[in-house]
């Protein structure tokens, strides 16, 4: 008997989609080639941000997801009970700081546009910034405070979403690799072949983070998701001295850049365990897992420029992951235009944790024919900014793809599913 939806990817986006669909009454099977929540979702910081998004579709999705996360924190706690780990939802707020007059002017303009779009963006003077974060560098001239920014523990949050989906009837199967498509007589995608047998389904949803392009190719389709590597430094535990998510004014430009070269900015925050997480870096190097001292050094220098006391702090470890990068900086959420039965929820880059709830709700609304909370059209797979990138098919092309998904093993990025 066919399931309604098979989801490829058990990271936080796949988990959110599974929960939304299962709670709406759909039968769901989630597949992952590795362990659940072992990829991108396990290697991020759990940020729920509006501060790094300018007016437009990504901000709309973030605002809806931020609202949903506030409700989800209580919903999941009520559903799963006190024995399940807390998702550690923390409305800590964000603080963007700058140390130049030009940077301050640019930040003011950016925040003004965000306020028009409904973001709480409060300009602060140097003294007001230090009232929020007393250890800021003397050179900080001011910034913008974002009270709406929040954080969750990403692994706990994803596991909680999966547990909730299971309670609603979803089945999660790990160690199962998708190898190809099941096609109906009419050419419609009717499920997937896997290393553990066929799985028939009314719809197939690819939520495999930075590996989504390979999964799509195996199924006979295409999506222009590429891995974008990032690194995080983790300090030894200390008494809490950083109370918000604090980053420099270069962070937004780095998130929106299209360059493959190394880009770094200061992103600094404390955890409940007393460690400090230091980011961020971005570079497109495929699934290369090798650490580079240059990247770590740049990140450390930028962090010390914001909080000088960190120069005397020990780093106990670092980790890297791969974000699912899209050329137009918007996720793909919706049906494949070329292969009926195939759907996508991928390409969130480093914002997958923050955007997961609204993504899940959009997928459920589209598949089940209900009213979406936000306009889904900006995230469509057939939007013009993606169609110009679509490869031209050749007569010799075959239906069954030749993808290499699974040949590059790695830990992941800050979003998703190692699937």
């Amino acid at each position: 008997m066919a399931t309604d939806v098979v989801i490829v990817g058990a990271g936080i986006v796949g988990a959110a989609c599974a929960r939304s669909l299962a709670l709406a009454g759909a039968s769901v099977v989630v597949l992952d080639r590795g362990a659940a929540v072992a990829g991108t979702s396990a290697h991020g910081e759990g940020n729920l941000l509006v501060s790094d998004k300018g007016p437009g579709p990504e901000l709309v999705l973030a605002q809806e997801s931020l609202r949903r996360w506030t409700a989800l924190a209580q919903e999941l706690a009520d559903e799963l009970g006190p024995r399940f780990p807390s998702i550690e939802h923390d409305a800590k707020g964000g603080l963007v700081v700058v140390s130049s007059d030009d940077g301050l002017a640019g930040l003011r303009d950016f925040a003004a546009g965000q306020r028009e779009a409904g973001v709480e963006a409060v300009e602060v003077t140097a003294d007001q910034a230090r009232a929020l974060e007393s250890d800021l560098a003397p050179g900080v001239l001011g910034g913008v405070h974002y009270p709406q920014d929040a954080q969750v523990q990403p692994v706990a949050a994803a596991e909680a979403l999966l547990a909730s989906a299971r309670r609603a009837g979803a089945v999660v199967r790990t160690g199962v690799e998708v190898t190809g498509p099941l096609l109906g007589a009419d050419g419609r995608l009717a499920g997937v072949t896997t290393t553990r047998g066929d799985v028939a389904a009314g719809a197939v949803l690819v939520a495999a983070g930075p590996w989504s392009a390979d999964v799509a190719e195996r199924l006979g389709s295409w999506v222009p998701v590429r891995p974008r590597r990032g690194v995080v430094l983790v300090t030894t535990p200390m008494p809490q001295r950083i109370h918000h998510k604090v980053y420099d004014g270069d962070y937004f430009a780095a998130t929106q850049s299209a360059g493959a070269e190394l880009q770094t900015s200061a992103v600094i925050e404390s955890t409940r365990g007393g460690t400090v997480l230091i980011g961020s870096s971005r570079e497109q190097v495929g699934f290369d897992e090798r650490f580079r001292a240059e990247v770590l050094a740049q990140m450390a220098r930028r962090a010390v420029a914001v909080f000088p006391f960190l120069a005397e702090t020990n780093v106990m470890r670092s980790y890297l992951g791969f974000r699912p990068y899209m050329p137009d900086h918007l996720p793909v959420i919706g049906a494949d235009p070329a292969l009926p039965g195939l759907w996508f929820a991928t390409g969130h880059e480093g914002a997958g944790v923050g955007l997961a709830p609204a993504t899940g709700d959009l997928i459920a609304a589209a598949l089940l024919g209900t009213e979406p909370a936000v306009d889904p059209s900006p995230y469509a797979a057939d939007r013009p900014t993606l169609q110009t990138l679509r490869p031209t098919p050749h007569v010799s092309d075959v239906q069954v793809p030749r993808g290499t998904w699974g040949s590059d093993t790695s830990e992941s990025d800050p979003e998703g599913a190692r699937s």
Side-chain angles (χ1 to χ4, degrees):
M1 180 177 177
T3 190
D4 290 330
V5 185
V6 60
I7 299 173
V8 185
I12 199 158
V13 169
C17 292
R19 181 180 189 270
S20 293
L21 285 162
L23 288 179
S27 59
V28 178
V29 173
V30 182
L31 306 177
D32 200 297
R33 72 175 184 185
V37 200
T40 295
S41 300
H43 297 85
E45 298 164 286
N47 294 319
L48 317 179
L49 305 182
V50 291
S51 55
D52 63 342
K53 297 169 181 65
E58 188 183 27
L59 177 58
V60 170
L61 204 63
Q63 289 170 310
E64 172 63 15
S65 276
L66 199 65
R67 182 188 69 79
R68 290 288 293 116
W69 269 120
T70 301
L72 272 171
Q74 189 60 55
E75 289 173 19
L76 292 169
D78 291 343
E79 284 181 41
L80 304 176
R83 297 185 64 181
F84 199 94
S86 169
I87 70 169
E88 300 181 17
H89 182 264
D90 184 0
K92 63 171 60 176
L95 179 64
V96 184
V97 296
V98 291
S99 56
S100 71
D101 290 332
D102 288 345
L104 190 58
L107 184 58
R108 283 171 177 158
D109 290 343
F110 181 65
Q114 290 177 303
R115 281 192 290 271
E116 291 179 3
V119 174
E120 292 182 44
V122 182
E123 185 178 342
V124 293
T125 65
D127 288 343
Q128 289 169 329
R130 288 186 180 85
L132 295 169
E133 295 288 350
S134 59
D135 286 309
L136 285 170
V140 169
L141 297 182
V144 175
H145 178 217
Y146 291 90
Q148 293 168 302
D149 279 358
Q151 186 176 35
V152 293
Q153 208 296 327
V155 175
E159 291 283 12
L161 290 169
L162 283 176
S164 176
R166 287 189 184 97
R167 284 171 54 88
V171 175
V172 180
R173 298 175 57 193
T174 57
V176 180
E177 183 172 354
V178 170
T179 56
L182 286 178
L183 297 174
D186 58 358
R188 179 183 178 87
L189 189 61
V192 295
T193 63
T194 82
T195 52
R196 300 288 184 89
D198 297 345
V199 182
V204 177
L205 174 66
V206 176
W211 298 274
S212 293
D214 292 323
V215 178
E217 186 184 0
R218 287 195 172 197
L219 297 177
S221 190
W222 170 90
V223 66
V225 177
R226 301 197 299 268
R228 201 178 196 191
R229 189 172 71 176
V231 180
V232 175
L233 301 176
V234 185
T235 73
T236 52
M238 67 181 80
Q240 186 174 19
R241 296 178 66 175
I242 300 172
H243 304 282
H244 303 76
K245 179 181 179 69
V246 182
Y247 52 96
D248 65 32
D250 291 336
Y251 180 67
F252 174 75
T255 64
Q256 299 302 302
S257 71
E261 71 280 0
L262 172 64
Q263 298 171 61
T264 60
S265 55
V267 184
I268 309 143
E269 61 193 316
S270 295
T271 69
R272 290 189 180 182
T275 60
V276 173
L277 305 181
I278 298 171
S280 72
S281 68
R282 280 170 166 77
E283 54 186 334
Q284 293 185 40
V285 291
F287 286 105
D288 186 346
E289 290 184 291
R290 292 171 295 182
F291 282 95
R292 292 198 295 136
E294 172 196 359
V295 178
L296 305 181
Q298 280 195 29
M299 291 168 54
R301 284 195 295 269
R302 298 198 69 139
V304 169
V306 176
F307 286 111
F309 80 88
L310 290 173
E312 306 301 321
T313 302
N314 292 322
V315 171
M316 67 176 180
R317 68 185 180 96
S318 59
Y319 60 88
L320 62 80
F322 301 97
R323 306 175 181 96
Y325 168 83
M326 287 292 293
D328 64 356
H329 302 288
L330 281 178
V332 178
I333 307 168
D336 184 283
L339 180 56
L342 179 61
W343 294 70
F344 293 109
T346 188
H348 300 73
E349 199 171 331
V353 175
L355 303 181
T359 297
D361 291 347
L362 277 180
I363 286 292
L367 279 167
L368 303 178
T370 60
E371 188 68 24
V374 300
D375 177 11
S377 61
Y379 322 105
D382 61 354
R383 60 187 185 253
T385 51
L386 299 188
Q387 294 313 297
T388 58
L389 303 172
R390 183 175 287 274
T392 303
H394 299 285
V395 174
S396 60
D397 285 349
V398 294
Q399 181 69 46
V400 180
R402 297 169 289 118
T404 58
W405 176 59
S407 63
D408 288 302
T409 58
S410 66
E411 295 186 344
S412 317
D413 142 19
E415 189 217 328
R418 188 178 184 179
S419 318

